[in-house]
Amino acid sequence: MTDAATAEPEVLIGKHGGVGRIVLNRPKAINALNHTMVARIAPALAEWAGDDEVRAVLITGAGERGLCAGGDIVSIYHDAKEGGTGSREFWRDEYLLNAAIANYPKPYVAIMDGIVMGGGVGVSAHGSVRVVTERSMIGMPETGIGFVPDVGGTYLLARTPGELGTHIALTTARLSAGDAIACGFADHYIPSGKIDAFVEALATSSVEEALAACTEPAPESDLLAQQDWIDAAYSADSVAEIVARLQASGVPEAAKAAEQVLAKSPTACAVTLASLRRARVAGSLEEVLNEEFRVSVACLGSADLVEGIRAQVVDKDRNPHWSPATIDEVTDATVATFFAPLGDLELGLTAPTTTGDQQ
């Protein structure tokens, strides 16, 4: 399958200088991820894991706009409207890929330049070497379309300093390079002008040497500097209480955050908060991915996912009509239904076991 605009494969896979190269190749769609792309990446990674010629893997995005804008949500919209199963099977393979990246036996280098959202985070932030630039804009925008952070995103968000991850998830805040490193979504800062040199260095030297030659001190994190009011508000046990604390804090940024949360799907926000709290005590990424799969499948049958994508991407009126319309109307019983077991449809991931190492 090819992108009609380029007549090229949607993902380019090859080897260069001992590096397995993955290039997401849908630049007009900011390299949005679809099932075809996932189905090509996974076997390549599996093959390279046992290929002595491959020292490391590198994933980048074609074009100037970003690594990956997320999953192909227009396809998800049509699938949800028609009651299909295509999205469920896409997520199944996508989450399996996320786990494979997290456990990859060789350096997995992700260039998180430009826009990196949703599914883009899934194919980069679980890697062992995560590079950001001054152009990086990273986020989990799911609550804005009636969805819940997935691709192992709740695992990452739940492990940020304090309650920063809760703020990011509920407001869909965008992370700068400094924010991403402070929040554990990235490791190294390389200015965009040095990325080409870094990629070439990977082909002629070790990952460590390439990093040493190109990395610079990371910018400060504006988000980390606001942790006091964020922790005070987002440590609450419900979205309604979080909003109340934000509104009462007297901090202008907190008041803005309250407005942002209130604009998102009330159901998605409530389920997201529950997902984050559960992910915080989970023993492994695999456990979290299993639960995210349950939640994603449940979202397919929810009115808010179709309505959210319609308002943001299809009709673009930016005026979603959420059901229920307010956070006070979302019951604990409704939230619980999103975590119901799927029986034979479960994702079924198990954490890898290493002799003498308890995960």
Side-chain angles (χ1 to χ4, degrees):
M1 183 174 181
T2 59
D3 188 319
T6 62
E8 290 185 350
E10 293 176 323
V11 57
L12 307 177
I13 292 173
K15 293 191 291 187
H16 174 66
V19 177
R21 292 291 310 270
I22 300 167
V23 182
L24 306 182
N25 192 39
R26 299 182 67 204
K28 290 186 181 297
I30 319 180
N31 304 313
L33 202 62
N34 60 33
H35 204 165
T36 302
M37 296 161 76
V38 169
R40 291 202 63 210
I41 295 168
L45 286 179
E47 178 183 335
W48 290 336
D51 185 343
D52 291 340
E53 292 183 1
V54 175
R55 294 178 287 103
V57 170
L58 173 66
I59 185 167
T60 59
E64 298 297 321
R65 297 169 69 192
L67 171 67
C68 176
D72 189 342
I73 59 174
V74 174
S75 295
I76 294 170
Y77 168 81
H78 291 296
D79 196 45
K81 279 191 71 174
E82 296 160 11
T85 60
S87 297
R88 186 185 73 204
E89 297 314 307
F90 165 54
W91 288 326
R92 183 186 302 280
D93 288 341
E94 184 182 23
Y95 301 174
L96 293 174
L97 176 62
N98 301 147
I101 290 169
N103 295 299
Y104 205 64
K106 298 178 180 181
Y108 181 98
V109 184
I111 306 296
M112 302 171 73
D113 186 35
I115 293 171
V116 187
M117 301 285 168
V121 171
V123 295
S124 59
H126 297 301
S128 55
V129 182
R130 305 162 300 174
V131 174
V132 283
T133 76
E134 80 283 356
R135 297 163 13 108
S136 294
M137 187 168 66
I138 298 165
M140 300 298 293
E142 287 78 10
T143 57
I145 58 166
F147 196 45
V148 175
D150 64 336
V151 298
T154 60
Y155 182 86
L156 295 165
L157 291 163
R159 284 155 180 78
T160 58
E163 295 289 341
L164 295 186
T166 312
H167 169 74
I168 293 163
L170 295 183
T171 63
T172 70
R174 306 298 191 247
L175 306 183
S176 66
D179 295 333
I181 290 174
C183 289
F185 277 65
D187 311 296
H188 308 282
Y189 175 75
I190 298 178
S192 59
K194 287 188 174 182
I195 290 298
D196 287 346
F198 173 66
V199 171
E200 281 305 308
L202 285 175
T204 57
S205 61
S206 69
V207 173
E208 292 75 17
E209 289 167 332
L211 287 168
C214 298
T215 53
E216 294 187 7
E220 295 294 317
S221 168
D222 292 338
L223 195 58
L224 193 62
Q226 301 176 69
Q227 190 177 342
D228 284 351
W229 68 259
I230 288 173
D231 285 359
Y234 290 93
S235 56
D237 292 331
S238 70
V239 178
E241 178 60 25
I242 286 171
V243 170
R245 291 185 187 183
L246 289 170
Q247 292 171 330
S249 77
V251 178
E253 292 89 348
K256 182 179 178 182
E259 293 177 3
Q260 291 169 332
V261 175
L262 289 172
K264 306 301 185 286
S265 159
T267 301
C269 284
V271 177
T272 294
L273 183 61
S275 292
L276 292 171
R277 297 296 187 252
R278 294 164 77 119
R280 182 176 288 171
V281 297
S284 68
L285 171 64
E286 288 76 14
E287 183 181 334
V288 172
L289 285 165
N290 288 338
E291 192 149 84
E292 287 181 349
F293 186 67
R294 293 176 177 179
V295 171
S296 296
V297 170
C299 284
L300 262 188
S302 70
D304 277 6
L305 180 59
V306 170
E307 174 60 9
I309 298 175
R310 180 206 64 76
Q312 295 297 333
V313 180
V314 180
D315 296 338
K316 299 182 180 180
D317 58 25
R318 306 291 193 268
N319 185 33
H321 298 283
W322 304 122
S323 179
T326 68
I327 194 63
D328 292 325
E329 297 174 83
V330 183
T331 66
D332 291 343
T334 295
V335 172
T337 63
F338 284 78
F339 297 91
L342 297 173
D344 292 340
L345 293 177
E346 291 280 14
L347 186 60
L349 277 168
T350 56
T353 56
T354 304
T355 304
D357 177 32
Q358 295 299 316
Q359 189 158 352

